[in-house]
């Protein structure tokens, strides 16, 4: 008898918790089968006019796509970069595109793929956000708001 009352109550609590978690994770932007989450950037020190932003790109579809460009009103120019290590030295190089294969996830992060913001119009300030538009070959444009973390911050935890 008691179980019958406790169980629905428990179920309601669990469902509420799931709904809350889903809401806090709803900071995702999508176009078609491409979903972009966890957009963030590192704050820039005074005087610096370049910064970097990072996103997670998930291709939930059955067709491959490619990230072919990025733009932001906050910067004079924006490009897609990759950091590679050559002879023990980290170097950045611009990429024409990043393939986002069907069913795959691309995780940008410091030391790897990133969105390079050049000629910043103002410094990236911790606690604020910067708007980015990512352009995909097939899915088109996806707009995201990148949360600005501290200078040199580690990536936010993934799900
Ligand atoms: Cu770069």
């Amino acid at each position: 008898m008691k179980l019958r009352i406790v169980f629905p109550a428990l179920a309601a609590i669990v469902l509420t918790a799931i709904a809350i978690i889903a809401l806090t994770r709803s900071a995702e932007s999508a176009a078609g089968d491409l979903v972009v989450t966890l957009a963030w950037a590192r704050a820039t020190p005074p005087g610096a006019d370049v910064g970097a932003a990072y996103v997670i790109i998930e291709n939930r579809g059955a067709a491959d796509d490619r990230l072919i460009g990025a733009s932001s009103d906050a910067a004079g120019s924006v490009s897609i970069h990759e950091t590679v290590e050559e002879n023990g030295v980290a170097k950045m190089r611009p990429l024409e595109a990043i393939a986002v294969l069907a069913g795959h996830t691309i995780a940008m992060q410091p030391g790897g793929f990133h969105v390079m913001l050049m000629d910043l119009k103002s410094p990236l300030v911790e606690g604020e956000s910067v708007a980015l538009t990512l352009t995909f070959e097939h899915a088109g444009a996806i707009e995201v708001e990148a949360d600005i973390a501290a200078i040199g911050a580690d990536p936010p935890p993934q799900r």
Side-chain angles (χ1 to χ4, degrees), residues 68-126:
I68 53 171
S71 63
S72 174
D73 287 342
S77 82
V78 182
S79 47
I80 306 160
H81 274 192
E82 182 183 27
T83 300
V84 286
E85 215 174 274
E86 278 172 24
N87 304 321
V89 180
K91 287 181 178 174
M92 297 194 295
R93 67 173 185 209
L95 298 175
E96 265 179 41
I98 297 175
V100 192
L101 301 180
H104 283 70
T105 298
I106 295 290
M108 294 188 178
Q109 58 188 349
F113 295 132
H114 55 277
V115 175
M116 195 79 202
L117 305 163
M118 286 161 295
D119 301 322
L120 282 173
K121 290 168 186 167
S122 59
L124 300 180
V125 178
E126 183 181 355

Side-chain angles (χ1 to χ4, degrees), residues 11-27:
I13 290 166
V14 169
L15 284 176
T16 306
I18 289 170
I20 290 167
I21 291 165
L23 267 180
T24 55
R25 283 180 187 167
S26 68

